[in-house]
Amino acid sequence: MADLSTTVAGVVLPRPALLASGIWGESGASLAAAFRAGAGGVVTKSIGVKPREGYPNPTIEQFGEWGMLNAMGLPNPGIEEYPKEIGQALAAGARVVGSIFGGDADEFAALARKMEATGVHALELNLSCPHAKGYGSEIGQDPQVLAEVVKAVKKATTLPVWAKVTPNTQDTALLAEAAEKAGADAITAINTVRALAIDPVLRRPVLAHGFGGLSGPAIRPIGLACVWKIYERVRIPIVGVGGITTAQDAYEYILAGARALELGTAVATKGINVFREVHEGLGRLLDEAHFATIEEAVGQAHRK
Amino acid sequence: MRTIAPVVEKRWETPSTVTLRFDYAPLARPGQFVMIWLPGDDEVPMSLSYTSEGRKGVTIKAMGETSRHLLQLEPGTRVGLRGPYGNTFDLSPRRLLVVAGGSGGAVVAPGAEEVRRKGGSVTVALGATTAKELLFRERFTAMADGGLEIATDDGTAGHRGYVTDVAARLVKERSFDAVWTCGPEVMMVKLVRSAEEAKVPIFCSVEREMKCGIAMCDACAFGPYHVCSDGPVFSGERLRDIPDFGQFKRDASGRRVRA
């Protein structure tokens, strides 16, 4: 079978599909369980300076098999409490990517230093959460602000830095370019797509927060388009996220230009065994196409 | 995936506990829970105290802000429902001991009724702070062919003291195929010990902070498990390997706090 290991900015991953940020990442035991179930690595919940409860429920709305809307509101135990959770994931042998979110470049830099001290293998900057005031995409939609954050984090840490960009903008690739220029080592694309659910009987938005972020199969073609465009415009590796549920989905993202992948919603809809399923199926697809490694397949849909 | 349904019946069970019934079709099994949404307020997990076809019910005790609001609902008020979620009690025991503390009776009652209906024998140990707060006293009396034993903290009914003392004696003196329990976690920790000493399998319905209900957000992380999908019912055997049990839970931010 094809070699499924892949390298993202110096971090060697035994398998390409990682647990996406926000899923299962509040506790170290869950991160470890995801790794044991076959994830190639795990991205933590986005961690901020202080503990944060997130929004009241309802925080999610499920649309059949095709989509999931959420506005959790970045709940997290805060960077002071979180290291013990990361320790548990690292002890299980997992490759751990620490996700952080801040309100400005200084906050990001401070978080990056503290996250580095926990022993994680890379950092992912949440510049793309679509539903938290003052954070996420409110910062990451502006290429200049995004660049300031990336620069500050790069200065604060020696870890590889993955910039997670938002699709809720005119040109996601422009954000990726800004991140690359500012020193980012990889681009994670995409975060959820801003969306809304309304209850027709009650005549009100379903989620307590109103707007949320759409994930799941519905956004896969959007994610693919973003990865495609980013691949054409930056040189640093791309980690593809957005609606990946099957091995074929994963393969398509690789052909579009992703070197690694993240799965989130599929963990809820198909269970944690989805990692094994995707990896086994991906191995077969690579074999059939006579690719010996993932590397060989990356971006192959761009051939003229 | 979310159903909006009106409350069709309301019944005060104790001075602090209310049962709300609604017509909600999805098949539910004893031990499972629904996410019940009070529009404009919050959405919380509630174990089904009535799981029969069609008309379901939840039994709510005044605890937090949302449960107090749920207590004030009158018939006709619309709530949002999704689920049922989670696992169920195994209904095969022939000789069952049910140990219910506080509002825990709401969780174990429908399954115990099923066991009885299938010809099994049911014994109940029911505890509360005071006589008036004994939940489902009549309902348990009706199903408990093996007897109903009561404990109250203030001695206003039955044994004065904890229901765990009553249960510990029962598992030692009599033979059961299984013990089911739901109540405060300290109570369940004690019971797991008693049941283990008596070599009776025990099953606990565990409570944790819950948000998504579908094993995605990790709010209800419980060791390597999720209460919403791997639970809420956990065997004593499994609980032995979950360091959280009786030790800590997580608040809404995910911080560990004492259980």
Side-chain angles (χ1 to χ4, degrees):
Chain A
M1 192 165 107
D3 178 6
L4 286 183
S5 70
T6 185
T7 304
V8 178
V11 180
V12 180
L13 303 166
R15 293 169 296 280
L18 287 73
L19 178 75
S21 182
I23 318 298
W24 277 39
E26 213 159 88
S27 89
S30 297
L31 291 172
F35 178 71
R36 281 195 292 266
V42 294
V43 187
T44 70
K45 206 150 252 217
S46 290
I47 302 300
V49 176
K50 283 187 297 197
R52 191 177 148 106
E53 293 196 346
Y55 300 130
N57 269 354
T59 45
I60 70 143
E61 173 75 340
Q62 209 171 345
F63 304 113
E65 289 292 300
W66 58 267
M68 187 92 75
L69 184 70
N70 92 83
M72 301 306 301
L74 295 172
N76 78 97
I79 193 70
E80 306 301 333
E81 292 271 337
Y82 198 64
K84 57 183 159 209
E85 310 295 343
I86 291 180
Q88 252 179 296
L90 290 170
R95 294 272 143 191
V96 181
V97 180
S99 173
I100 52 175
F101 74 95
D104 56 37
D106 289 344
E107 219 171 88
F108 265 104
L111 283 162
R113 272 190 288 269
K114 288 187 171 164
M115 191 56 99
E116 179 167 24
T118 67
V120 296
H121 301 96
L123 294 176
E124 187 175 88
L125 310 184
N126 183 341
L127 297 158
S128 41
C129 171
H131 53 70
K133 198 163 169 40
Y135 297 109
S137 63
E138 283 195 14
I139 289 176
Q141 271 168 345
D142 182 334
Q144 217 171 323
V145 180
L146 176 145
E148 278 169 28
V149 170
V150 172
K151 268 186 209 150
V153 169
K154 281 300 289 181
K155 213 182 278 176
T157 161
T158 58
L159 288 176
V161 173
W162 304 6
K164 187 168 181 180
V165 294
T166 177
N168 301 305
T169 180
Q170 188 70 27
D171 184 5
T172 303
L174 193 70
L175 300 176
E177 283 175 334
E180 180 179 47
K181 230 161 122 198
D185 301 283
I187 302 292
T188 306
I190 55 177
N191 205 315
T192 53
V193 178
R194 203 155 92 113
L196 182 70
I198 283 181
D199 188 283
V201 179
L202 301 171
R203 301 195 294 263
R204 61 184 303 149
V206 173
L207 302 189
H209 180 66
F211 288 115
L214 185 66
S215 61
I219 69 161
R220 185 164 49 86
I222 300 172
L224 269 179
C226 289
V227 167
W228 175 280
K229 269 200 294 185
I230 293 167
Y231 183 78
E232 292 195 327
R233 286 164 52 185
V234 307
R235 287 208 180 79
I236 52 178
I238 303 164
V239 180
V241 209
I244 300 171
T245 312
T246 67
Q248 188 181 312
D249 300 343
Y251 186 45
E252 289 172 11
Y253 264 94
I254 291 168
L255 294 175
R259 194 167 283 272
L261 312 155
E262 292 177 12
L263 270 59
T265 303
V267 172
T269 55
K270 297 187 84 180
I272 199 70
N273 285 329
V274 71
F275 285 105
R276 281 217 176 95
E277 256 177 66
V278 165
H279 287 136
E280 280 170 18
L282 182 61
R284 278 193 297 273
L285 290 168
L286 291 172
D287 286 346
E288 282 164 23
H290 304 292
F291 290 121
T293 62
I294 287 178
E295 167 97 46
E296 287 177 21
V298 173
Q300 284 302 302
H302 292 262
R303 283 176 310 156
K304 293 280 156 30
Chain B
M1 72 154 266
R2 206 177 297 261
T3 301
I4 306 296
V7 172
V8 289
E9 277 177 58
K10 177 182 184 175
R11 183 186 145 115
W12 284 92
E13 306 288 358
T14 79
S16 70
T17 316
V18 152
T19 294
L20 301 176
R21 306 286 299 262
F22 30 77
D23 293 322
Y24 186 56
L27 191 72
R29 289 182 295 163
Q32 290 191 296
F33 67 95
V34 291
M35 294 298 292
I36 177 165
W37 176 34
L38 190 51
D41 194 325
D42 204 343
E43 181 195 45
V44 291
M46 285 283 165
S47 286
L48 289 166
S49 55
Y50 292 91
T51 50
S52 45
E53 238 169 89
R55 189 155 296 186
K56 307 284 191 298
V58 296
T59 301
I60 303 147
K61 191 176 172 68
M63 304 285 275
E65 203 183 329
T66 305
S67 56
R68 276 202 300 276
H69 290 166
L70 284 167
L71 247 59
Q72 288 156 16
L73 294 192
E74 292 303 329
T77 314
R78 287 182 295 199
V79 296
L81 296 165
R82 59 187 177 97
Y85 297 124
N87 68 354
T88 70
F89 285 106
D90 166 31
L91 301 176
S92 65
R94 302 295 302 164
R95 294 164 304 173
L96 173 67
L97 172 64
V98 167
V99 186
S103 57
V107 180
V108 288
E113 270 168 354
E114 274 302 304
V115 168
R116 184 78 195 95
R117 206 167 299 145
K118 290 169 60 169
S121 170
V122 175
T123 304
V124 180
L126 181 63
T129 50
T130 185
K132 276 189 197 157
E133 285 297 335
L134 288 164
L135 178 64
F136 290 152
R137 194 172 176 170
E138 282 168 37
R139 191 176 174 190
F140 281 123
T141 304
M143 74 177 87
D145 62 309
L148 169 70
E149 301 227 14
I150 283 171
T152 50
D153 297 356
D154 63 0
T156 45
H159 167 79
R160 184 196 189 105
Y162 294 125
V163 71
T164 42
D165 303 335
V166 174
R169 174 173 53 76
L170 284 168
V171 291
K172 215 180 282 173
E173 287 175 5
R174 292 167 51 183
S175 309
F176 297 101
D177 302 320
V179 179
W180 295 356
T181 181
C182 184
E185 200 150 304
V186 281
M187 174 194 118
M188 297 199 288
V189 168
K190 273 196 211 167
L191 280 171
V192 167
R193 228 173 286 139
S194 305
E196 271 176 1
E197 278 164 21
K199 300 199 165 48
V200 188
I202 181 165
F203 299 87
C204 305
S205 179
V206 173
E207 199 175 291
R208 283 296 182 272
E209 174 80 30
M210 214 173 269
K211 290 179 180 175
C212 77
I214 53 171
M216 193 161 164
C217 74
D218 216 28
C220 67
F222 183 56
Y225 303 107
H226 293 98
V227 172
C228 69
S229 57
D230 301 304
V233 182
F234 291 88
S235 68
E237 214 178 337
R238 187 167 266 193
L239 288 169
R240 222 178 303 151
D241 300 328
I242 302 175
D244 312 35
F245 185 57
Q247 293 300 312
F248 67 89
K249 52 187 185 175
R250 290 171 193 279
D251 65 11
S253 76
R255 266 182 307 178
R256 300 177 186 196
V257 294
R258 267 211 76 73

